[in-house]
PDB file of all heavy atoms in Angstrom:
ATOM      1  N   GLU A 209     -13.913   1.955  -1.937  1.00  0.00           N
ATOM      2  CA  GLU A 209     -13.121   1.516  -3.083  1.00  0.00           C
ATOM      3  C   GLU A 209     -11.727   1.090  -2.649  1.00  0.00           C
ATOM      4  O   GLU A 209     -11.185   1.545  -1.648  1.00  0.00           O
ATOM      5  CB  GLU A 209     -12.997   2.638  -4.124  1.00  0.00           C
ATOM      6  CG  GLU A 209     -12.267   3.868  -3.635  1.00  0.00           C
ATOM      7  CD  GLU A 209     -12.108   4.939  -4.718  1.00  0.00           C
ATOM      8  OE1 GLU A 209     -12.706   4.801  -5.790  1.00  0.00           O
ATOM      9  OE2 GLU A 209     -11.375   5.902  -4.466  1.00  0.00           O
ATOM     10  N   LEU A 210     -11.166   0.206  -3.445  1.00  0.00           N
ATOM     11  CA  LEU A 210      -9.822  -0.283  -3.201  1.00  0.00           C
ATOM     12  C   LEU A 210      -8.799   0.828  -3.371  1.00  0.00           C
ATOM     13  O   LEU A 210      -8.899   1.646  -4.296  1.00  0.00           O
ATOM     14  CB  LEU A 210      -9.503  -1.413  -4.187  1.00  0.00           C
ATOM     15  CG  LEU A 210      -8.056  -1.840  -4.300  1.00  0.00           C
ATOM     16  CD1 LEU A 210      -7.671  -2.694  -3.109  1.00  0.00           C
ATOM     17  CD2 LEU A 210      -7.815  -2.599  -5.603  1.00  0.00           C
ATOM     18  N   VAL A 211      -7.818   0.858  -2.480  1.00  0.00           N
ATOM     19  CA  VAL A 211      -6.650   1.715  -2.664  1.00  0.00           C
ATOM     20  C   VAL A 211      -5.451   0.835  -3.038  1.00  0.00           C
ATOM     21  O   VAL A 211      -4.851   1.000  -4.090  1.00  0.00           O
ATOM     22  CB  VAL A 211      -6.338   2.531  -1.397  1.00  0.00           C
ATOM     23  CG1 VAL A 211      -5.088   3.380  -1.624  1.00  0.00           C
ATOM     24  CG2 VAL A 211      -7.517   3.413  -1.015  1.00  0.00           C
ATOM     25  N   ALA A 212      -5.114  -0.094  -2.158  1.00  0.00           N
ATOM     26  CA  ALA A 212      -3.978  -0.979  -2.408  1.00  0.00           C
ATOM     27  C   ALA A 212      -4.064  -2.183  -1.480  1.00  0.00           C
ATOM     28  O   ALA A 212      -4.604  -2.091  -0.382  1.00  0.00           O
ATOM     29  CB  ALA A 212      -2.657  -0.252  -2.177  1.00  0.00           C
ATOM     30  N   THR A 213      -3.528  -3.309  -1.947  1.00  0.00           N
ATOM     31  CA  THR A 213      -3.426  -4.494  -1.111  1.00  0.00           C
ATOM     32  C   THR A 213      -2.044  -5.101  -1.252  1.00  0.00           C
ATOM     33  O   THR A 213      -1.334  -4.842  -2.239  1.00  0.00           O
ATOM     34  CB  THR A 213      -4.481  -5.559  -1.455  1.00  0.00           C
ATOM     35  OG1 THR A 213      -4.212  -6.074  -2.761  1.00  0.00           O
ATOM     36  CG2 THR A 213      -5.888  -4.997  -1.397  1.00  0.00           C
ATOM     37  N   ILE A 214      -1.682  -5.903  -0.258  1.00  0.00           N
ATOM     38  CA  ILE A 214      -0.376  -6.549  -0.273  1.00  0.00           C
ATOM     39  C   ILE A 214      -0.520  -7.931   0.352  1.00  0.00           C
ATOM     40  O   ILE A 214      -1.162  -8.094   1.392  1.00  0.00           O
ATOM     41  CB  ILE A 214       0.672  -5.696   0.472  1.00  0.00           C
ATOM     42  CG1 ILE A 214       2.059  -6.339   0.388  1.00  0.00           C
ATOM     43  CG2 ILE A 214       0.280  -5.441   1.927  1.00  0.00           C
ATOM     44  CD1 ILE A 214       3.181  -5.401   0.845  1.00  0.00           C
ATOM     45  N   ALA A 215       0.068  -8.921  -0.302  1.00  0.00           N
ATOM     46  CA  ALA A 215       0.040 -10.278   0.212  1.00  0.00           C
ATOM     47  C   ALA A 215       1.173 -10.494   1.206  1.00  0.00           C
ATOM     48  O   ALA A 215       2.108  -9.689   1.289  1.00  0.00           O
ATOM     49  CB  ALA A 215       0.182 -11.274  -0.944  1.00  0.00           C
ATOM     50  N   ARG A 216       1.086 -11.591   1.933  1.00  0.00           N
ATOM     51  CA  ARG A 216       2.155 -11.915   2.872  1.00  0.00           C
ATOM     52  C   ARG A 216       3.492 -12.038   2.141  1.00  0.00           C
ATOM     53  O   ARG A 216       4.543 -11.707   2.686  1.00  0.00           O
ATOM     54  CB  ARG A 216       1.817 -13.204   3.611  1.00  0.00           C
ATOM     55  CG  ARG A 216       2.838 -13.617   4.656  1.00  0.00           C
ATOM     56  CD  ARG A 216       2.358 -14.833   5.422  1.00  0.00           C
ATOM     57  NE  ARG A 216       1.265 -14.510   6.336  1.00  0.00           N
ATOM     58  CZ  ARG A 216       1.437 -14.033   7.557  1.00  0.00           C
ATOM     59  NH1 ARG A 216       2.654 -13.822   8.021  1.00  0.00           N
ATOM     60  NH2 ARG A 216       0.388 -13.781   8.318  1.00  0.00           N
ATOM     61  N   SER A 217       3.434 -12.486   0.893  1.00  0.00           N
ATOM     62  CA  SER A 217       4.644 -12.635   0.078  1.00  0.00           C
ATOM     63  C   SER A 217       5.241 -11.301  -0.341  1.00  0.00           C
ATOM     64  O   SER A 217       6.393 -11.237  -0.763  1.00  0.00           O
ATOM     65  CB  SER A 217       4.322 -13.443  -1.178  1.00  0.00           C
ATOM     66  OG  SER A 217       3.411 -12.722  -1.995  1.00  0.00           O
ATOM     67  N   GLY A 218       4.425 -10.244  -0.257  1.00  0.00           N
ATOM     68  CA  GLY A 218       4.896  -8.928  -0.667  1.00  0.00           C
ATOM     69  C   GLY A 218       4.335  -8.457  -1.995  1.00  0.00           C
ATOM     70  O   GLY A 218       4.574  -7.307  -2.383  1.00  0.00           O
ATOM     71  N   SER A 219       3.603  -9.303  -2.689  1.00  0.00           N
ATOM     72  CA  SER A 219       3.028  -8.867  -3.956  1.00  0.00           C
ATOM     73  C   SER A 219       1.951  -7.827  -3.687  1.00  0.00           C
ATOM     74  O   SER A 219       1.191  -7.928  -2.722  1.00  0.00           O
ATOM     75  CB  SER A 219       2.457 -10.049  -4.719  1.00  0.00           C
ATOM     76  OG  SER A 219       1.341 -10.594  -4.046  1.00  0.00           O
ATOM     77  N   THR A 220       1.913  -6.825  -4.538  1.00  0.00           N
ATOM     78  CA  THR A 220       1.029  -5.677  -4.303  1.00  0.00           C
ATOM     79  C   THR A 220       0.042  -5.471  -5.439  1.00  0.00           C
ATOM     80  O   THR A 220       0.239  -5.941  -6.563  1.00  0.00           O
ATOM     81  CB  THR A 220       1.848  -4.393  -4.124  1.00  0.00           C
ATOM     82  OG1 THR A 220       2.660  -4.199  -5.304  1.00  0.00           O
ATOM     83  CG2 THR A 220       2.744  -4.472  -2.910  1.00  0.00           C
ATOM     84  N   ASN A 221      -0.996  -4.731  -5.112  1.00  0.00           N
ATOM     85  CA  ASN A 221      -2.028  -4.384  -6.080  1.00  0.00           C
ATOM     86  C   ASN A 221      -2.483  -2.963  -5.758  1.00  0.00           C
ATOM     87  O   ASN A 221      -2.758  -2.660  -4.598  1.00  0.00           O
ATOM     88  CB  ASN A 221      -3.194  -5.371  -5.949  1.00  0.00           C
ATOM     89  CG  ASN A 221      -4.338  -5.043  -6.878  1.00  0.00           C
ATOM     90  OD1 ASN A 221      -4.112  -4.734  -8.035  1.00  0.00           O
ATOM     91  ND2 ASN A 221      -5.557  -5.099  -6.380  1.00  0.00           N
ATOM     92  N   TYR A 222      -2.528  -2.091  -6.782  1.00  0.00           N
ATOM     93  CA  TYR A 222      -2.908  -0.700  -6.574  1.00  0.00           C
ATOM     94  C   TYR A 222      -4.071  -0.309  -7.475  1.00  0.00           C
ATOM     95  O   TYR A 222      -4.169  -0.758  -8.616  1.00  0.00           O
ATOM     96  CB  TYR A 222      -1.737   0.237  -6.900  1.00  0.00           C
ATOM     97  CG  TYR A 222      -0.569   0.130  -5.960  1.00  0.00           C
ATOM     98  CD1 TYR A 222       0.502  -0.711  -6.254  1.00  0.00           C
ATOM     99  CD2 TYR A 222      -0.529   0.878  -4.795  1.00  0.00           C
ATOM    100  CE1 TYR A 222       1.584  -0.812  -5.396  1.00  0.00           C
ATOM    101  CE2 TYR A 222       0.551   0.791  -3.927  1.00  0.00           C
ATOM    102  CZ  TYR A 222       1.595  -0.058  -4.231  1.00  0.00           C
ATOM    103  OH  TYR A 222       2.672  -0.153  -3.376  1.00  0.00           O
ATOM    104  N   ALA A 223      -4.906   0.580  -6.972  1.00  0.00           N
ATOM    105  CA  ALA A 223      -5.933   1.190  -7.810  1.00  0.00           C
ATOM    106  C   ALA A 223      -5.242   2.122  -8.800  1.00  0.00           C
ATOM    107  O   ALA A 223      -4.231   2.762  -8.476  1.00  0.00           O
ATOM    108  CB  ALA A 223      -6.920   1.971  -6.958  1.00  0.00           C
ATOM    109  N   ASP A 224      -5.791   2.213 -10.004  1.00  0.00           N
ATOM    110  CA  ASP A 224      -5.200   3.076 -11.032  1.00  0.00           C
ATOM    111  C   ASP A 224      -5.116   4.524 -10.555  1.00  0.00           C
ATOM    112  O   ASP A 224      -4.184   5.249 -10.901  1.00  0.00           O
ATOM    113  CB  ASP A 224      -6.024   3.004 -12.315  1.00  0.00           C
ATOM    114  CG  ASP A 224      -5.849   1.675 -13.031  1.00  0.00           C
ATOM    115  OD1 ASP A 224      -4.871   0.954 -12.747  1.00  0.00           O
ATOM    116  OD2 ASP A 224      -6.706   1.351 -13.873  1.00  0.00           O
ATOM    117  N   SER A 225      -6.079   4.940  -9.756  1.00  0.00           N
ATOM    118  CA  SER A 225      -6.145   6.341  -9.328  1.00  0.00           C
ATOM    119  C   SER A 225      -5.000   6.741  -8.393  1.00  0.00           C
ATOM    120  O   SER A 225      -4.759   7.931  -8.194  1.00  0.00           O
ATOM    121  CB  SER A 225      -7.483   6.607  -8.637  1.00  0.00           C
ATOM    122  OG  SER A 225      -7.632   5.761  -7.508  1.00  0.00           O
ATOM    123  N   VAL A 226      -4.315   5.769  -7.814  1.00  0.00           N
ATOM    124  CA  VAL A 226      -3.247   6.095  -6.857  1.00  0.00           C
ATOM    125  C   VAL A 226      -1.881   5.591  -7.302  1.00  0.00           C
ATOM    126  O   VAL A 226      -0.876   5.885  -6.655  1.00  0.00           O
ATOM    127  CB  VAL A 226      -3.563   5.538  -5.458  1.00  0.00           C
ATOM    128  CG1 VAL A 226      -4.886   6.084  -4.941  1.00  0.00           C
ATOM    129  CG2 VAL A 226      -3.561   4.017  -5.452  1.00  0.00           C
ATOM    130  N   LYS A 227      -1.820   4.855  -8.390  1.00  0.00           N
ATOM    131  CA  LYS A 227      -0.532   4.323  -8.852  1.00  0.00           C
ATOM    132  C   LYS A 227       0.483   5.429  -9.050  1.00  0.00           C
ATOM    133  O   LYS A 227       0.170   6.467  -9.638  1.00  0.00           O
ATOM    134  CB  LYS A 227      -0.716   3.542 -10.156  1.00  0.00           C
ATOM    135  CG  LYS A 227      -1.226   2.137  -9.975  1.00  0.00           C
ATOM    136  CD  LYS A 227      -1.374   1.420 -11.311  1.00  0.00           C
ATOM    137  CE  LYS A 227      -1.910   0.019 -11.110  1.00  0.00           C
ATOM    138  NZ  LYS A 227      -2.141  -0.673 -12.412  1.00  0.00           N
ATOM    139  N   GLY A 228       1.678   5.210  -8.547  1.00  0.00           N
ATOM    140  CA  GLY A 228       2.736   6.197  -8.669  1.00  0.00           C
ATOM    141  C   GLY A 228       2.765   7.199  -7.533  1.00  0.00           C
ATOM    142  O   GLY A 228       3.741   7.940  -7.376  1.00  0.00           O
ATOM    143  N   ARG A 229       1.695   7.262  -6.750  1.00  0.00           N
ATOM    144  CA  ARG A 229       1.631   8.217  -5.636  1.00  0.00           C
ATOM    145  C   ARG A 229       1.559   7.515  -4.288  1.00  0.00           C
ATOM    146  O   ARG A 229       1.774   8.151  -3.251  1.00  0.00           O
ATOM    147  CB  ARG A 229       0.402   9.117  -5.783  1.00  0.00           C
ATOM    148  CG  ARG A 229       0.345   9.932  -7.048  1.00  0.00           C
ATOM    149  CD  ARG A 229      -0.781  10.946  -7.009  1.00  0.00           C
ATOM    150  NE  ARG A 229      -2.097  10.324  -6.935  1.00  0.00           N
ATOM    151  CZ  ARG A 229      -2.950  10.506  -5.923  1.00  0.00           C
ATOM    152  NH1 ARG A 229      -2.616  11.256  -4.883  1.00  0.00           N
ATOM    153  NH2 ARG A 229      -4.143   9.917  -5.950  1.00  0.00           N
ATOM    154  N   VAL A 230       1.252   6.255  -4.301  1.00  0.00           N
ATOM    155  CA  VAL A 230       1.000   5.506  -3.066  1.00  0.00           C
ATOM    156  C   VAL A 230       1.876   4.265  -3.028  1.00  0.00           C
ATOM    157  O   VAL A 230       2.083   3.614  -4.053  1.00  0.00           O
ATOM    158  CB  VAL A 230      -0.490   5.107  -3.006  1.00  0.00           C
ATOM    159  CG1 VAL A 230      -0.734   4.022  -1.967  1.00  0.00           C
ATOM    160  CG2 VAL A 230      -1.349   6.332  -2.688  1.00  0.00           C
ATOM    161  N   THR A 231       2.398   3.963  -1.853  1.00  0.00           N
ATOM    162  CA  THR A 231       3.193   2.753  -1.666  1.00  0.00           C
ATOM    163  C   THR A 231       2.670   2.001  -0.449  1.00  0.00           C
ATOM    164  O   THR A 231       2.581   2.568   0.646  1.00  0.00           O
ATOM    165  CB  THR A 231       4.673   3.082  -1.440  1.00  0.00           C
ATOM    166  OG1 THR A 231       5.168   3.839  -2.552  1.00  0.00           O
ATOM    167  CG2 THR A 231       5.491   1.796  -1.307  1.00  0.00           C
ATOM    168  N   ILE A 232       2.331   0.748  -0.661  1.00  0.00           N
ATOM    169  CA  ILE A 232       1.899  -0.092   0.452  1.00  0.00           C
ATOM    170  C   ILE A 232       3.051  -1.000   0.851  1.00  0.00           C
ATOM    171  O   ILE A 232       3.793  -1.484  -0.008  1.00  0.00           O
ATOM    172  CB  ILE A 232       0.637  -0.912   0.088  1.00  0.00           C
ATOM    173  CG1 ILE A 232       0.059  -1.585   1.329  1.00  0.00           C
ATOM    174  CG2 ILE A 232       0.915  -1.904  -1.026  1.00  0.00           C
ATOM    175  CD1 ILE A 232      -1.333  -2.185   1.104  1.00  0.00           C
ATOM    176  N   SER A 233       3.211  -1.193   2.128  1.00  0.00           N
ATOM    177  CA  SER A 233       4.259  -2.073   2.625  1.00  0.00           C
ATOM    178  C   SER A 233       3.738  -2.805   3.859  1.00  0.00           C
ATOM    179  O   SER A 233       2.694  -2.445   4.412  1.00  0.00           O
ATOM    180  CB  SER A 233       5.531  -1.292   2.959  1.00  0.00           C
ATOM    181  OG  SER A 233       5.267  -0.312   3.946  1.00  0.00           O
ATOM    182  N   ARG A 234       4.507  -3.808   4.255  1.00  0.00           N
ATOM    183  CA  ARG A 234       3.997  -4.678   5.325  1.00  0.00           C
ATOM    184  C   ARG A 234       5.165  -5.213   6.132  1.00  0.00           C
ATOM    185  O   ARG A 234       6.210  -5.559   5.577  1.00  0.00           O
ATOM    186  CB  ARG A 234       3.219  -5.821   4.667  1.00  0.00           C
ATOM    187  CG  ARG A 234       2.641  -6.858   5.572  1.00  0.00           C
ATOM    188  CD  ARG A 234       1.745  -7.776   4.762  1.00  0.00           C
ATOM    189  NE  ARG A 234       1.231  -8.874   5.554  1.00  0.00           N
ATOM    190  CZ  ARG A 234       0.304  -9.735   5.157  1.00  0.00           C
ATOM    191  NH1 ARG A 234      -0.223  -9.599   3.934  1.00  0.00           N
ATOM    192  NH2 ARG A 234      -0.102 -10.701   5.928  1.00  0.00           N
ATOM    193  N   ASP A 235       4.967  -5.255   7.438  1.00  0.00           N
ATOM    194  CA  ASP A 235       5.932  -5.861   8.345  1.00  0.00           C
ATOM    195  C   ASP A 235       5.252  -7.078   8.950  1.00  0.00           C
ATOM    196  O   ASP A 235       4.434  -6.945   9.867  1.00  0.00           O
ATOM    197  CB  ASP A 235       6.348  -4.864   9.419  1.00  0.00           C
ATOM    198  CG  ASP A 235       7.457  -5.387  10.321  1.00  0.00           C
ATOM    199  OD1 ASP A 235       7.548  -6.628  10.492  1.00  0.00           O
ATOM    200  OD2 ASP A 235       8.208  -4.575  10.861  1.00  0.00           O
ATOM    201  N   ASN A 236       5.551  -8.246   8.428  1.00  0.00           N
ATOM    202  CA  ASN A 236       4.879  -9.461   8.881  1.00  0.00           C
ATOM    203  C   ASN A 236       5.186  -9.772  10.347  1.00  0.00           C
ATOM    204  O   ASN A 236       4.343 -10.306  11.063  1.00  0.00           O
ATOM    205  CB  ASN A 236       5.258 -10.647   8.009  1.00  0.00           C
ATOM    206  CG  ASN A 236       4.672 -10.546   6.612  1.00  0.00           C
ATOM    207  OD1 ASN A 236       3.570 -10.008   6.433  1.00  0.00           O
ATOM    208  ND2 ASN A 236       5.390 -11.039   5.624  1.00  0.00           N
ATOM    209  N   ALA A 237       6.381  -9.428  10.784  1.00  0.00           N
ATOM    210  CA  ALA A 237       6.759  -9.701  12.178  1.00  0.00           C
ATOM    211  C   ALA A 237       5.911  -8.872  13.147  1.00  0.00           C
ATOM    212  O   ALA A 237       5.615  -9.306  14.261  1.00  0.00           O
ATOM    213  CB  ALA A 237       8.227  -9.409  12.389  1.00  0.00           C
ATOM    214  N   LYS A 238       5.525  -7.678  12.701  1.00  0.00           N
ATOM    215  CA  LYS A 238       4.713  -6.790  13.548  1.00  0.00           C
ATOM    216  C   LYS A 238       3.238  -6.852  13.198  1.00  0.00           C
ATOM    217  O   LYS A 238       2.433  -6.144  13.802  1.00  0.00           O
ATOM    218  CB  LYS A 238       5.210  -5.353  13.420  1.00  0.00           C
ATOM    219  CG  LYS A 238       6.616  -5.127  13.944  1.00  0.00           C
ATOM    220  CD  LYS A 238       7.005  -3.661  13.815  1.00  0.00           C
ATOM    221  CE  LYS A 238       8.394  -3.417  14.369  1.00  0.00           C
ATOM    222  NZ  LYS A 238       8.806  -1.992  14.235  1.00  0.00           N
ATOM    223  N   ASN A 239       2.893  -7.660  12.205  1.00  0.00           N
ATOM    224  CA  ASN A 239       1.499  -7.741  11.745  1.00  0.00           C
ATOM    225  C   ASN A 239       0.945  -6.348  11.445  1.00  0.00           C
ATOM    226  O   ASN A 239      -0.181  -6.008  11.834  1.00  0.00           O
ATOM    227  CB  ASN A 239       0.624  -8.450  12.783  1.00  0.00           C
ATOM    228  CG  ASN A 239       1.008  -9.890  12.970  1.00  0.00           C
ATOM    229  OD1 ASN A 239       1.112 -10.634  12.003  1.00  0.00           O
ATOM    230  ND2 ASN A 239       1.256 -10.288  14.206  1.00  0.00           N
ATOM    231  N   THR A 240       1.734  -5.561  10.782  1.00  0.00           N
ATOM    232  CA  THR A 240       1.378  -4.174  10.503  1.00  0.00           C
ATOM    233  C   THR A 240       1.517  -3.892   9.005  1.00  0.00           C
ATOM    234  O   THR A 240       2.475  -4.344   8.378  1.00  0.00           O
ATOM    235  CB  THR A 240       2.266  -3.215  11.300  1.00  0.00           C
ATOM    236  OG1 THR A 240       2.083  -3.463  12.701  1.00  0.00           O
ATOM    237  CG2 THR A 240       1.914  -1.774  11.017  1.00  0.00           C
ATOM    238  N   VAL A 241       0.565  -3.150   8.489  1.00  0.00           N
ATOM    239  CA  VAL A 241       0.603  -2.718   7.101  1.00  0.00           C
ATOM    240  C   VAL A 241       0.630  -1.193   7.082  1.00  0.00           C
ATOM    241  O   VAL A 241       0.019  -0.543   7.927  1.00  0.00           O
ATOM    242  CB  VAL A 241      -0.588  -3.287   6.301  1.00  0.00           C
ATOM    243  CG1 VAL A 241      -1.915  -2.751   6.823  1.00  0.00           C
ATOM    244  CG2 VAL A 241      -0.440  -3.001   4.820  1.00  0.00           C
ATOM    245  N   TYR A 242       1.371  -0.650   6.123  1.00  0.00           N
ATOM    246  CA  TYR A 242       1.550   0.787   6.014  1.00  0.00           C
ATOM    247  C   TYR A 242       1.075   1.262   4.645  1.00  0.00           C
ATOM    248  O   TYR A 242       1.154   0.525   3.659  1.00  0.00           O
ATOM    249  CB  TYR A 242       3.016   1.163   6.199  1.00  0.00           C
ATOM    250  CG  TYR A 242       3.626   0.655   7.472  1.00  0.00           C
ATOM    251  CD1 TYR A 242       4.322  -0.563   7.489  1.00  0.00           C
ATOM    252  CD2 TYR A 242       3.510   1.356   8.661  1.00  0.00           C
ATOM    253  CE1 TYR A 242       4.883  -1.043   8.654  1.00  0.00           C
ATOM    254  CE2 TYR A 242       4.068   0.878   9.834  1.00  0.00           C
ATOM    255  CZ  TYR A 242       4.759  -0.324   9.825  1.00  0.00           C
ATOM    256  OH  TYR A 242       5.306  -0.804  10.987  1.00  0.00           O
ATOM    257  N   LEU A 243       0.656   2.517   4.599  1.00  0.00           N
ATOM    258  CA  LEU A 243       0.292   3.138   3.330  1.00  0.00           C
ATOM    259  C   LEU A 243       0.938   4.507   3.291  1.00  0.00           C
ATOM    260  O   LEU A 243       0.550   5.399   4.046  1.00  0.00           O
ATOM    261  CB  LEU A 243      -1.224   3.250   3.184  1.00  0.00           C
ATOM    262  CG  LEU A 243      -1.706   3.691   1.802  1.00  0.00           C
ATOM    263  CD1 LEU A 243      -1.536   2.537   0.807  1.00  0.00           C
ATOM    264  CD2 LEU A 243      -3.164   4.129   1.834  1.00  0.00           C
ATOM    265  N   ARG A 244       1.927   4.639   2.436  1.00  0.00           N
ATOM    266  CA  ARG A 244       2.584   5.916   2.247  1.00  0.00           C
ATOM    267  C   ARG A 244       1.920   6.605   1.068  1.00  0.00           C
ATOM    268  O   ARG A 244       1.861   6.052  -0.026  1.00  0.00           O
ATOM    269  CB  ARG A 244       4.065   5.713   1.956  1.00  0.00           C
ATOM    270  CG  ARG A 244       4.796   6.968   1.470  1.00  0.00           C
ATOM    271  CD  ARG A 244       5.096   7.925   2.581  1.00  0.00           C
ATOM    272  NE  ARG A 244       5.762   9.132   2.074  1.00  0.00           N
ATOM    273  CZ  ARG A 244       6.322  10.051   2.853  1.00  0.00           C
ATOM    274  NH1 ARG A 244       6.304   9.909   4.178  1.00  0.00           N
ATOM    275  NH2 ARG A 244       6.892  11.110   2.318  1.00  0.00           N
ATOM    276  N   MET A 245       1.404   7.816   1.292  1.00  0.00           N
ATOM    277  CA  MET A 245       0.714   8.554   0.241  1.00  0.00           C
ATOM    278  C   MET A 245       1.440   9.873  -0.005  1.00  0.00           C
ATOM    279  O   MET A 245       1.632  10.661   0.932  1.00  0.00           O
ATOM    280  CB  MET A 245      -0.737   8.820   0.642  1.00  0.00           C
ATOM    281  CG  MET A 245      -1.530   7.544   0.888  1.00  0.00           C
ATOM    282  SD  MET A 245      -3.284   7.852   1.170  1.00  0.00           S
ATOM    283  CE  MET A 245      -3.223   8.649   2.786  1.00  0.00           C
ATOM    284  N   ASP A 246       1.846  10.095  -1.234  1.00  0.00           N
ATOM    285  CA  ASP A 246       2.540  11.310  -1.649  1.00  0.00           C
ATOM    286  C   ASP A 246       1.704  12.050  -2.690  1.00  0.00           C
ATOM    287  O   ASP A 246       0.784  11.491  -3.281  1.00  0.00           O
ATOM    288  CB  ASP A 246       3.917  10.967  -2.213  1.00  0.00           C
ATOM    289  CG  ASP A 246       4.825  10.309  -1.202  1.00  0.00           C
ATOM    290  OD1 ASP A 246       4.981  10.859  -0.097  1.00  0.00           O
ATOM    291  OD2 ASP A 246       5.374   9.231  -1.510  1.00  0.00           O
ATOM    292  N   SER A 247       2.072  13.311  -2.921  1.00  0.00           N
ATOM    293  CA  SER A 247       1.383  14.123  -3.929  1.00  0.00           C
ATOM    294  C   SER A 247      -0.128  14.042  -3.750  1.00  0.00           C
ATOM    295  O   SER A 247      -0.873  13.829  -4.722  1.00  0.00           O
ATOM    296  CB  SER A 247       1.774  13.661  -5.339  1.00  0.00           C
ATOM    297  OG  SER A 247       3.173  13.742  -5.519  1.00  0.00           O
ATOM    298  N   LEU A 248      -0.566  14.197  -2.519  1.00  0.00           N
ATOM    299  CA  LEU A 248      -1.983  14.049  -2.220  1.00  0.00           C
ATOM    300  C   LEU A 248      -2.814  15.116  -2.915  1.00  0.00           C
ATOM    301  O   LEU A 248      -2.378  16.263  -3.090  1.00  0.00           O
ATOM    302  CB  LEU A 248      -2.210  14.096  -0.711  1.00  0.00           C
ATOM    303  CG  LEU A 248      -1.860  12.785   0.015  1.00  0.00           C
ATOM    304  CD1 LEU A 248      -1.670  13.021   1.499  1.00  0.00           C
ATOM    305  CD2 LEU A 248      -2.947  11.747  -0.229  1.00  0.00           C
ATOM    306  N   LYS A 249      -4.017  14.706  -3.313  1.00  0.00           N
ATOM    307  CA  LYS A 249      -4.951  15.576  -4.011  1.00  0.00           C
ATOM    308  C   LYS A 249      -6.230  15.714  -3.182  1.00  0.00           C
ATOM    309  O   LYS A 249      -6.558  14.822  -2.398  1.00  0.00           O
ATOM    310  CB  LYS A 249      -5.304  14.976  -5.372  1.00  0.00           C
ATOM    311  CG  LYS A 249      -4.107  14.662  -6.255  1.00  0.00           C
ATOM    312  CD  LYS A 249      -4.553  13.943  -7.528  1.00  0.00           C
ATOM    313  CE  LYS A 249      -3.383  13.581  -8.412  1.00  0.00           C
ATOM    314  NZ  LYS A 249      -3.817  12.874  -9.650  1.00  0.00           N
TER     315      LYS A 249
END
């Protein structure tokens, strides 16, 4: 199942189940994507 996605532009999309607890980010220069997860269940 989807957790989160992010476009090169920075626009993001989150699954309802993780909204508010998860942050996706991206470093285009490093070709790296990150997923910060808080309040894990």
Side-chain angles (χ1 to χ4, degrees):
E209 63 177 9
L210 167 77
V211 178
T213 67
I214 183 168
R216 182 175 288 276
S217 65
S219 67
T220 58
N221 177 44
Y222 293 94
D224 288 342
S225 59
V226 302
K227 279 180 181 177
R229 301 189 297 119
V230 164
T231 302
I232 190 169
S233 60
R234 178 172 175 172
D235 186 332
N236 290 327
K238 295 182 178 179
N239 295 308
T240 300
V241 64
Y242 305 94
L243 189 73
R244 168 77 182 191
M245 300 187 290
D246 298 308
S247 302
L248 282 162
K249 305 174 182 180

